[in-house]
Amino acid sequence: MLCRSGENVRPYLAGGVLLLALLLAACGEVSTDLEIETERIVAGVDLNQLFAPPTAQERQQVLDAWAARDVSARNVQEVARASLELDGAPVTLQILHHTVQGQRHVGAVVVPDSLQAPAPVLVWLHGGDAGVRLETDVWPLVDSLDLRRFVLVIPAFRGEALAYQGLTFSAEGVRNPWDGDVDDALALLNVVLARVPMADPERLVAFGMDRGATVALLMAVRDTRIQTAIGVAGLTDFFGAFMQQVVEEALQGTVRPVPGLAAFNEQVLVPLRDGTLSMAEARRALLRRSPVWFADRLPAGQWHHGRRDPVIPASEAERLASVRPASFQVYLYESEAHELISLPGSLERIRALLDELVGTMP
């Protein structure tokens, strides 16, 4: 083989990265620190292109699109009301229906009866794919976090349901995990701030588990009114190594039991594979679900994650820790748990943060 100075050397095989490297090495044109990118085509999708780091232009496109979203609520209707006690404290529970982006949404609002002045608002964002059940998902945390001090806002995301004492209140629409979830939560928050005099608009907390943890961060990124964001064991970067592996498996037909992933696969990955969704659109869909790429917009807050979490790896927390603002703390625990109550010390840390917010009385 002859090599001439300045000659362009090209591979002559599809995917001929190795051949190119050998040719360049023979010509003395490979340095010891040269990185050769391996071709990654799965089900016709170029994963290198899909997962390339987002550009500043793409980030701004997403920010502009978010700013144009209509998260107002119309046709607000109270469909149920109940008086009950939470850990000995009397509260009033309201179930609200309202229209968001042309579809009926549902959510719960809990207001302590003892309030004499506006109280901070805590938006509870559920995990999983089965909607939210008040008795099992929310009430157990009332005592440990002393949530009786808050106006609680509890959305059921689109296409899912809110359940209480055997009653089921369903939300319309097609599930749109993480991205559409934020729209639904912001719309319900807007309803509460407009209709509940005891809801303090200056003290807002977004608090979520699992899928809801990602939503909590995205809510805070999108709405500067939110002072505090708290997440437990969720996804933070859809461009990261874990989601790259998850997406590759999904494109090949195996969808992991990660909350939200089944719907995301149907709405983004299948259309991308079939050619009905463009690469640019798919990348924006990933970016809209990746709070780490907007970490500069995060407020004060906390993230809690087990180092051996069997559902979502601690690398998601570590990625967040690498870009977080100083006021946002990331805690890792020597635990295999995916639940908050099994992360020792997490409840105490969250309660201390909430105590600070409650203490900022006007």
Side-chain angles (χ1 to χ4, degrees), residues 6-263:
E7 181 179 15
N8 292 326
V9 182
R10 301 176 183 173
Y12 291 95
L13 296 175
V17 175
L18 179 59
L19 177 58
L20 175 59
L22 292 173
L23 288 171
L24 290 175
C27 297
E29 297 182 13
V30 175
S31 63
T32 56
D33 60 350
L34 179 65
E35 294 184 3
I36 302 296
E37 184 176 62
T38 304
E39 188 177 64
R40 297 169 64 200
I41 306 295
V42 176
V45 176
D46 185 339
L47 296 187
N48 286 334
Q49 184 178 359
L50 179 63
F51 292 117
T55 66
Q57 181 182 18
E58 287 175 316
R59 183 179 186 271
Q60 190 59 50
Q61 287 172 344
V62 168
L63 288 172
D64 292 343
W66 278 339
R69 291 266 183 97
D70 182 3
V71 292
S72 59
R74 299 175 174 84
N75 307 316
V76 181
Q77 178 185 9
E78 180 184 291
V79 295
R81 175 184 286 256
S83 295
L84 61 146
E85 287 191 356
L86 291 182
D87 196 40
V91 301
T92 297
L93 167 68
Q94 295 175 278
I95 307 295
L96 301 177
H97 278 177
H98 48 282
T99 303
V100 182
Q101 298 170 354
Q103 298 172 330
R104 188 183 66 189
H105 179 245
V106 63
V109 183
V110 180
V111 182
D113 295 343
S114 60
L115 292 179
Q116 300 297 316
V121 177
L122 187 145
V123 185
W124 170 260
L125 304 154
H126 74 77
D129 288 324
V132 57
R133 183 175 296 275
L134 299 183
E135 295 97 323
T136 57
D137 295 342
V138 184
W139 294 172
L141 290 175
V142 169
D143 180 43
S144 55
L145 297 179
D146 198 5
L147 298 183
R148 296 161 298 187
R149 304 170 293 172
F150 293 82
V151 172
L152 300 181
V153 178
I154 309 163
F157 303 135
R158 61 189 65 184
E160 299 180 355
L162 183 149
Y164 175 65
Q165 288 192 343
L167 300 175
T168 299
F169 304 90
S170 298
E172 295 176 342
V174 176
R175 295 183 182 187
N176 184 8
W178 303 288
D179 188 28
D181 297 345
V182 179
D183 292 348
D184 297 338
L186 288 175
L188 181 59
L189 176 60
N190 288 332
V191 169
V192 171
L193 294 179
R195 292 172 61 96
V196 179
M198 287 300 174
D200 186 351
E202 301 299 323
R203 292 181 293 168
L204 306 181
V205 184
F207 183 4
M209 306 279 190
D210 187 273
R211 168 181 165 193
T214 309
V215 177
L217 266 59
L218 291 170
M219 278 188 72
V221 164
R222 288 178 52 178
D223 194 327
T224 58
R225 296 176 301 176
I226 296 174
Q227 283 188 319
T228 306
I230 303 170
V232 181
L235 295 166
T236 66
D237 186 4
F238 274 62
F239 292 85
F242 173 66
M243 282 306 295
Q244 289 192 33
Q245 183 180 7
V246 167
V247 167
E248 181 172 347
E249 292 173 1
L251 289 171
Q252 294 172 327
T254 300
V255 180
R256 289 197 193 189
V258 174
L261 185 60

